[in-house]
Amino acid sequence: MAERERLICNSHELVEQGAGIRFPLGESITGFAVRYKGNVHGYVNQCAHVPVELDWQEGEFFDLTRQYLICATHGAHYNPQTGYCVLGPCKGRRLQPLSLIERDGCIYLIESERHS
Ligand code: FES
């Protein structure tokens, strides 16, 4: 399986504990990137409780304390670094992580390509 990099955004667009950047993953699925404690983290934008998007307003993934990612529907709180749900109806489950890298002022998604 080959890998390729897809440009998501410029590094400066992803502000520490600020708004996340959404990007398409499939026809009806999105992913998102956030910056937390300097590092970039990416997840599929689907709650581990019910598969709905997390952000209460487009790109708003952090709770008021800016320490957790929060689901707008029933309030599940996720650790931004691991994606594990630490509070809420899906406690112990986790968001699906995505591979993101930051290089030369840009953030890329690492995608796997299947060859048939
Ligand atoms: S759908 Fe996210 S907490 Fe219920």
Side-chain angles (χ1 to χ4, degrees):
M1 212 178 323
E3 290 184 339
R4 69 185 176 119
E5 297 177 359
R6 185 187 358 152
L7 177 64
I8 298 300
C9 62
N10 291 317
S11 290
H12 68 82
E13 295 176 73
L14 207 53
V15 177
E16 176 68 29
Q17 289 160 276
I21 302 280
R22 293 165 49 112
F23 49 88
L25 285 179
E27 279 204 5
S28 57
I29 299 179
T30 61
F32 67 96
V34 291
R35 189 182 297 281
Y36 182 77
K37 296 191 174 175
N39 294 316
V40 175
H41 301 278
Y43 298 100
V44 175
N45 191 7
Q46 267 186 350
C47 186
H49 179 219
V50 176
V52 297
E53 293 190 337
L54 297 171
D55 38 344
W56 57 275
Q57 196 170 307
E58 191 163 314
E60 294 298 332
F61 293 97
F62 280 104
D63 71 337
L64 291 175
T65 70
R66 319 307 284 177
Q67 296 302 313
Y68 298 99
L69 304 175
I70 187 169
C71 174
T73 303
H74 306 121
H77 284 52
Y78 296 93
N79 180 320
Q81 295 170 300
T82 62
Y84 276 102
C85 179
V86 294
L87 182 74
C90 44
K91 191 172 175 187
R93 297 179 69 188
R94 66 180 298 193
L95 301 174
Q96 286 177 254
L98 297 171
S99 285
L100 297 178
I101 58 162
E102 184 166 26
R103 190 182 62 233
D104 300 331
C106 293
I107 294 164
Y108 300 89
L109 171 69
I110 310 294
E111 297 178 302
S112 297
E113 286 178 346
R114 290 175 198 276
H115 297 286
S116 53

